Amino acid sequence: MQTPQKIAVVGSGLVGTLLAIYLKKLGHTVHVFDRSEDIRTVQFSGRSINLVMSNRGWKTLEDIGLEDEIRKIGIPVDKRGIHLQDGTFVAQNYGKDGDAIFSLSRGVLNRRMIDLAEDAGVEFFFEQRIWDISLATATLHIGETERGEWTDLKYDKVFGADGAFSRIRHRMQRQSMFDYSQEFMKIGYKELNIPANADGSHKIDKNSLHIWPRGNFMLMGLSNLDGSFTCTLFMPFVGENSFEKIKTETELAQFFEKFFPDTKEIIPDLIEDYFKNPTSYLVKMKCYPWTFEDKIALIGDSAHAIVPFYGQGMNAGFEDITILNEMISKYGDDWETIFKEYEISRKPNADAIAELAERNFMEMSSKTADANFLLQKKIEKWFSDKHPDKWMPLYSRVTFSLQPYSEALAIGDFQNKIMEEVMQMENIEGQWNSVEVENLILEKLKV
Amino acid sequence: MQTPQKIAVVGSGLVGTLLAIYLKKLGHTVHVFDRSEDIRTVQFSGRSINLVMSNRGWKTLEDIGLEDEIRKIGIPVDKRGIHLQDGTFVAQNYGKDGDAIFSLSRGVLNRRMIDLAEDAGVEFFFEQRIWDISLATATLHIGETERGEWTDLKYDKVFGADGAFSRIRHRMQRQSMFDYSQEFMKIGYKELNIPANADGSHKIDKNSLHIWPRGNFMLMGLSNLDGSFTCTLFMPFVGENSFEKIKTETELAQFFEKFFPDTKEIIPDLIEDYFKNPTSYLVKMKCYPWTFEDKIALIGDSAHAIVPFYGQGMNAGFEDITILNEMISKYGDDWETIFKEYEISRKPNADAIAELAERNFMEMSSKTADANFLLQKKIEKWFSDKHPDKWMPLYSRVTFSLQPYSEALAIGDFQNKIMEEVMQMENIEGQWNSVEVENLILEKLKV
């Protein structure tokens, strides 16, 4: 058992709130601060990509007994539903039978988690703006405005769970030997909406992650409990097909008519949504170190903000908590070692999922519309079903296993080299499930 | 002629001061701010790597008629003087006869430049701490402390020439779509000193850049006008041979006795210098964009901080001024276009010199002690002397030409591939200047 500490968690998002529950159950006093209003009291929409919970996230919830609570508010999604431009629809299972990710509305999930945290005894302080932190004394500086009066609040530990633009990290960044990078993507996104049918049912299959892949842009849809879908249009800011090119209602209508004709019926408020909702940015952020002595630790997006294309942002943040909790179990009151081992363990895995997530945009937006790619996936699945001990596809490693991301990335690259050779076999379309293919893969796996 | 503007330059370093002279001569009102004291009133030492001026820097000085003033305070350096561990000394010319870089003391140069700027009518404001800037109105916020009272000073344009940790950039960085990275090197540096002889002469050849290459660390020495040398020990912070390992006078003496025995006589105050002078960090910094509308521009280290191993930091910063001045000549009062074209032109070249500078650490610290590398350089020089129209070595392109850095990097990589093949020829030591070698290179150059 640890000696009780007075701990501040900055940020009441998903990672901050779940971390607070963990710390509270360990016997600490836990205060969660957020500069925004209590999300339970406000409408939350307009710039959210729906979340998917997969095995890493479930593991963190399971370990603290919250899995069942959260499963109630999600919808299992076991396949990609690919809408090609010619109207063809292709379903592609994500894994083996029973393997599914869970679609969750960010707002619904976050509200539920804050309720659960309050039930556990965590105290929340909303609309409290933290402008700075004194690292050596774990003292938060809070005030109405950045240049106005500040109140100092001293803690034993402070966790920065305050997202990609973390104020806690902002202070760490001004220290020597702090490595940092932020890079904005050339692709932005906009939220659209498929409403429920009048009877509350879903207009399209709720158990598919719907993709309309169109090369360097795509539309995506994930189901909500209320029968609606949260859709996201990912598209370059500038260029041939881009947000810049769609300025008028006519341009918008023509664009959707050309590229997404089958959405006309299901996105009735396209024009209103498109011009009302903001075009949002995507940022990649890396930094190191993540901790300061035994006082401060970054967690989740404040330590590693990634693009959303692997559905792993929240899962990676939750896995941070799992690893931090492991280190707590191992090192007790030695917080300096807990923090050091936590960052050493997590950093390579955060870098790996950042890489995987970025690569996955091309897979989703472009390759899913490519017959060769679909065939490759089919071969991988076939071989994996025959030799489950020898081959787990990369997507399954990342999504349905707890293997460290860095290992998944390395093995995925190795598998991909093998599949490149397989795809170059003569008449691969005709002999994709032949003994020759099986033997070639088995041979290449011997290293 | 441009319409006169009220311009603030933040930073009175080399780039800020020279830029101020350019702007003043264009007819603008120019105020230079610096948070430090006037460098002319203080002793400047302890953490300076001597500067080398090469052709890009001279070009910027020439264009404004300052070349002769600065040439007086420098010492031409036309070769590397390589001190091997076994006591052997190898001299390696930097270029053709007459090609030389100029060794300059940072303090001496900076003081002279500020004098020249004041003569030109630039106004300097020292010990003025700029904490923030309002980008849209080019308003500086100045005060004693970050949290205290601030005075607002409004300008038409603000240039951030305030170095790798620029406050001006710091504000730009908090905008969407601003890409930024900082990375600290695993290698630090410490200044040491070779004093002049009693008669004011230099103890070792003043026209050589002295290197003691020792693998992953090295000692370097550059001459000063007063007969002394500013030496720099570059070494990892941690590891086998590292700053961490040298904690006592005995450890220091043993380390120098083993690796730099020939410095015993010439660095008499080794122990005092080593423990008095700080161990300094090296940081790489990249960002983009460099400008904000027609109001704000970053220049020099604040836009692109690089490691010092190519001797190009100041030269790259001066070349920024040359390009900015070209854009001013071209676009007159259209400052938005001036700034846009300036950053578009400079960014790829800043990235290229950053890459070249980082690679050059290995060349200086390790390859200069490698017989194969010295042979390769000899072959390149021989071929280049025979075919000056066909081959200019990379070092000469970077140092003695005005070719954009990005082109130099690309051609250098191409040349290096050719030289790899040459070095694999049988008995290359015996036939290094043969017709066979000449023909192979000529053949490979046909693309």
Side-chain angles (χ1 to χ4, degrees):
Chain A
M1 200 61 195
Q2 288 188 301
T3 308
Q5 306 283 318
K6 196 176 161 201
I7 299 179
V9 175
V10 181
S12 71
L14 301 166
V15 173
T17 305
L18 183 52
L19 171 66
I21 297 172
Y22 265 79
L23 293 170
K24 183 66 198 172
K25 295 207 170 171
L26 284 163
H28 304 297
T29 300
V30 186
H31 295 172
V32 178
F33 292 89
D34 204 297
R35 57 199 302 115
S36 302
E37 296 165 279
D38 186 343
I39 193 175
R40 293 169 300 185
T41 67
V42 293
Q43 181 75 10
F44 184 88
S45 82
R47 51 189 306 155
S48 156
I49 303 165
N50 258 32
L51 297 165
V52 289
M53 186 85 70
S54 56
N55 286 32
R56 293 167 206 269
W58 289 124
K59 153 83 178 157
T60 314
L61 291 168
E62 273 166 30
D63 285 351
I64 202 140
L66 296 180
E67 190 202 5
D68 294 341
E69 287 291 334
I70 305 304
R71 228 174 248 283
K72 289 178 200 161
I73 56 173
I75 297 173
V77 169
D78 60 3
K79 55 191 167 301
R80 280 178 180 159
I82 303 167
H83 301 253
L84 299 177
Q85 201 172 338
D86 65 6
T88 317
F89 178 81
V90 184
Q92 187 189 60
N93 282 345
Y94 272 129
K96 302 190 304 292
D97 284 350
D99 281 343
I101 56 179
F102 268 68
S103 173
L104 289 155
S105 144
R106 179 185 291 270
V108 170
L109 176 60
N110 208 345
R111 290 182 195 115
R112 187 78 195 101
M113 300 263 298
I114 294 173
D115 283 342
L116 291 167
E118 281 190 342
D119 292 348
V122 172
E123 292 169 76
F124 283 80
F125 302 88
F126 293 102
E127 295 175 72
Q128 298 294 318
R129 291 164 181 264
I130 289 160
W131 297 104
D132 204 353
I133 179 171
S134 298
L135 300 174
T137 59
T139 302
L140 299 175
H141 305 297
I142 303 188
E144 279 292 306
T145 65
E146 184 159 15
R147 297 280 302 145
E149 284 288 308
W150 287 353
T151 306
D152 295 346
L153 296 178
K154 198 185 165 328
Y155 284 88
D156 299 320
K157 321 277 163 214
V158 171
F159 287 89
D162 48 343
F165 299 100
S166 168
R167 274 276 162 171
I168 307 303
R169 190 191 64 230
H170 193 254
R171 169 55 55 189
M172 291 169 73
Q173 193 180 319
R174 286 160 74 175
Q175 299 218 300
S176 283
M177 298 304 276
F178 190 84
D179 291 343
Y180 176 77
S181 71
Q182 65 184 39
E183 187 185 337
F184 285 81
M185 301 289 96
K186 307 294 179 221
I187 290 160
Y189 70 93
K190 192 180 281 285
E191 186 177 320
L192 300 171
N193 184 51
I194 300 176
N197 288 316
D199 64 358
S201 62
H202 290 84
K203 286 193 194 297
I204 51 178
D205 177 34
K206 69 176 177 181
N207 302 120
S208 294
L209 183 147
H210 294 269
I211 313 180
W212 290 257
R214 296 296 181 266
N216 68 342
F217 63 101
M218 66 172 170
L219 182 67
M220 207 189 86
L222 271 166
S223 53
N224 296 311
L225 272 189
D226 65 4
S228 69
F229 280 79
T230 301
C231 294
T232 317
L233 175 63
F234 291 99
M235 190 160 68
F237 289 107
V238 296
E240 197 189 339
N241 296 303
S242 69
F243 286 112
E244 178 200 51
K245 286 286 167 62
I246 303 176
K247 292 269 170 60
T248 66
E249 295 187 7
T250 313
E251 284 163 351
L252 177 65
Q254 285 172 348
F255 179 78
F256 266 70
E257 183 64 41
K258 177 169 177 192
F259 290 109
F260 309 116
D262 60 342
T263 64
K264 190 160 190 175
E265 299 297 312
I266 57 177
I267 309 185
D269 298 329
L270 171 66
I271 287 172
E272 197 190 325
D273 284 358
Y274 186 94
F275 290 105
K276 183 191 70 193
N277 289 337
T279 306
S280 299
Y281 298 104
L282 295 169
V283 67
K284 284 190 304 180
M285 190 285 306
K286 292 185 180 185
C287 67
Y288 202 75
W290 292 359
T291 67
F292 179 87
E293 296 173 357
D294 63 344
K295 292 282 186 290
I296 316 291
L298 303 173
I299 192 159
D301 282 1
S302 72
H304 49 82
I306 65 177
V307 293
F309 306 114
Y310 226 114
Q312 286 293 312
M314 171 186 60
N315 289 286
F318 281 13
E319 199 171 55
D320 290 347
I321 300 173
T322 298
I323 300 298
L324 181 75
N325 194 49
E326 272 179 36
M327 299 306 169
I328 288 173
S329 306
K330 207 162 160 185
Y331 299 109
D333 282 334
D334 180 0
W335 282 90
E336 194 157 349
T337 303
I338 290 168
F339 282 177
K340 189 86 289 245
E341 295 296 317
Y342 155 72
E343 68 181 8
I344 288 173
S345 166
R346 286 306 283 164
K347 174 62 173 165
N349 293 312
D351 288 345
I353 190 60
E355 170 70 21
L356 286 164
E358 197 168 355
R359 289 187 194 175
N360 221 41
F361 179 72
M362 280 307 292
E363 172 155 339
M364 291 181 79
S365 73
S366 176
K367 291 189 190 166
T368 52
D370 171 20
N372 265 322
F373 176 77
L374 297 176
L375 176 60
Q376 177 180 326
K377 290 278 149 178
K378 194 161 75 170
I379 298 171
E380 277 193 67
K381 184 167 180 357
W382 161 77
F383 185 85
S384 175
D385 286 345
K386 276 192 108 157
H387 302 280
D389 55 322
K390 290 200 164 61
W391 193 284
M392 184 190 287
L394 176 60
Y395 187 89
S396 294
R397 285 180 196 277
V398 170
T399 309
F400 303 122
S401 93
L402 301 176
Q403 181 174 44
Y405 289 127
S406 54
E407 285 178 34
L409 173 61
I411 295 172
D413 282 346
F414 172 63
Q415 289 176 330
N416 203 47
K417 286 217 182 310
I418 296 176
M419 289 310 298
E420 278 173 14
E421 287 193 55
V422 170
M423 294 305 291
Q424 275 164 24
M425 287 172 76
E426 244 175 86
N427 183 29
I428 183 67
E429 298 84 357
Q431 61 154 336
W432 67 271
N433 53 357
S434 65
V435 177
E436 285 70 27
V437 170
E438 185 176 359
N439 285 341
L440 175 63
I441 299 178
L442 286 170
E443 185 55 38
K444 292 287 166 187
L445 282 171
K446 289 182 197 150
V447 283
Chain B
M1 200 61 193
Q2 289 188 301
T3 309
Q5 306 283 319
K6 197 177 160 200
I7 298 179
V9 175
V10 181
S12 70
L14 301 166
V15 172
T17 305
L18 184 52
L19 171 66
I21 297 173
Y22 264 79
L23 294 169
K24 183 66 200 173
K25 296 207 169 172
L26 284 164
H28 303 297
T29 301
V30 186
H31 294 172
V32 178
F33 292 89
D34 204 297
R35 57 200 301 115
S36 302
E37 295 165 279
D38 186 343
I39 193 175
R40 294 169 299 184
T41 66
V42 291
Q43 181 75 10
F44 184 86
S45 82
R47 50 190 305 155
S48 156
I49 303 165
N50 258 32
L51 297 165
V52 289
M53 186 86 70
S54 56
N55 286 31
R56 293 167 205 270
W58 289 123
K59 154 84 177 155
T60 314
L61 290 168
E62 273 166 30
D63 286 352
I64 202 139
L66 296 181
E67 190 204 4
D68 294 339
E69 287 292 333
I70 305 303
R71 227 173 250 283
K72 289 178 200 159
I73 56 173
I75 298 173
V77 168
D78 60 2
K79 57 191 167 303
R80 282 178 179 159
I82 302 166
H83 301 253
L84 300 177
Q85 201 173 336
D86 65 5
T88 316
F89 178 81
V90 184
Q92 188 188 60
N93 282 345
Y94 272 129
K96 302 191 304 293
D97 284 350
D99 281 343
I101 56 180
F102 267 67
S103 174
L104 289 154
S105 145
R106 179 185 292 271
V108 170
L109 176 61
N110 208 344
R111 288 182 196 118
R112 187 79 196 101
M113 301 262 298
I114 294 173
D115 283 343
L116 292 166
E118 282 190 341
D119 292 349
V122 173
E123 292 169 76
F124 283 80
F125 302 88
F126 294 102
E127 296 175 71
Q128 297 295 318
R129 292 163 181 265
I130 289 160
W131 296 104
D132 204 353
I133 179 171
S134 297
L135 299 174
T137 58
T139 302
L140 299 176
H141 305 298
I142 302 188
E144 281 290 307
T145 65
E146 184 158 16
R147 297 280 302 142
E149 285 287 310
W150 287 353
T151 306
D152 295 346
L153 296 179
K154 195 182 167 329
Y155 285 87
D156 299 320
K157 321 277 163 214
V158 171
F159 286 89
D162 49 343
F165 300 100
S166 167
R167 274 276 161 170
I168 306 304
R169 189 190 65 231
H170 193 254
R171 169 55 56 189
M172 292 169 72
Q173 193 179 319
R174 287 160 74 174
Q175 300 217 302
S176 283
M177 299 304 275
F178 190 84
D179 291 342
Y180 176 77
S181 72
Q182 66 184 41
E183 186 185 336
F184 284 82
M185 301 289 96
K186 307 294 178 219
I187 290 161
Y189 69 92
K190 192 181 280 283
E191 185 178 319
L192 300 172
N193 184 51
I194 300 176
N197 288 317
D199 64 357
S201 63
H202 290 83
K203 285 192 195 298
I204 51 178
D205 177 35
K206 68 178 179 180
N207 301 119
S208 294
L209 182 148
H210 294 269
I211 313 179
W212 289 257
R214 297 294 182 267
N216 68 342
F217 63 101
M218 67 173 170
L219 182 68
M220 207 188 85
L222 272 165
S223 53
N224 296 312
L225 271 189
D226 66 4
S228 68
F229 281 79
T230 301
C231 295
T232 317
L233 175 64
F234 292 100
M235 190 159 67
F237 289 107
V238 296
E240 196 189 338
N241 296 303
S242 69
F243 286 110
E244 178 200 50
K245 286 287 166 62
I246 302 177
K247 292 270 170 60
T248 66
E249 296 188 5
T250 311
E251 284 164 352
L252 177 64
Q254 284 171 348
F255 179 78
F256 267 70
E257 183 64 41
K258 178 171 176 191
F259 290 111
F260 309 115
D262 61 342
T263 64
K264 190 160 188 176
E265 298 298 313
I266 57 178
I267 309 184
D269 298 329
L270 171 65
I271 288 173
E272 197 190 325
D273 284 359
Y274 186 94
F275 290 105
K276 184 190 69 192
N277 290 337
T279 306
S280 299
Y281 299 105
L282 295 169
V283 68
K284 282 190 306 180
M285 190 285 305
K286 292 185 179 185
C287 68
Y288 202 77
W290 292 359
T291 67
F292 179 87
E293 297 173 357
D294 62 344
K295 289 282 187 291
I296 317 289
L298 303 174
I299 193 158
D301 283 0
S302 73
H304 49 80
I306 65 176
V307 293
F309 306 115
Y310 225 114
Q312 286 292 313
M314 171 186 60
N315 289 286
F318 280 13
E319 199 171 55
D320 289 348
I321 300 173
T322 297
I323 300 299
L324 182 75
N325 193 49
E326 271 179 37
M327 300 307 169
I328 287 173
S329 306
K330 207 161 162 185
Y331 300 109
D333 281 334
D334 182 359
W335 282 90
E336 194 157 350
T337 304
I338 290 167
F339 282 177
K340 188 83 310 268
E341 295 297 317
Y342 154 71
E343 68 181 7
I344 288 172
S345 166
R346 285 308 282 164
K347 174 63 173 164
N349 294 312
D351 287 347
I353 191 60
E355 170 70 21
L356 286 163
E358 198 169 354
R359 290 187 194 175
N360 222 40
F361 178 73
M362 280 307 291
E363 172 155 338
M364 291 181 79
S365 72
S366 176
K367 291 190 189 166
T368 53
D370 172 20
N372 265 322
F373 177 77
L374 297 177
L375 176 61
Q376 177 179 327
K377 290 278 149 178
K378 195 162 73 170
I379 298 171
E380 278 194 67
K381 182 165 180 359
W382 161 77
F383 184 85
S384 175
D385 286 345
K386 276 194 107 155
H387 300 282
D389 55 320
K390 291 200 163 61
W391 193 285
M392 185 190 288
L394 177 60
Y395 186 88
S396 294
R397 283 180 197 278
V398 170
T399 308
F400 303 121
S401 94
L402 301 177
Q403 181 174 44
Y405 289 127
S406 53
E407 285 178 35
L409 173 62
I411 295 172
D413 282 347
F414 172 62
Q415 290 176 330
N416 202 46
K417 284 216 184 314
I418 295 176
M419 289 310 298
E420 278 173 15
E421 288 193 55
V422 170
M423 294 305 290
Q424 275 164 24
M425 288 172 76
E426 244 175 84
N427 183 29
I428 183 65
E429 298 83 356
Q431 60 154 339
W432 68 271
N433 54 357
S434 64
V435 177
E436 286 70 27
V437 170
E438 186 177 359
N439 285 341
L440 175 63
I441 300 177
L442 286 169
E443 186 55 38
K444 293 287 167 187
L445 282 171
K446 289 182 198 148
V447 284

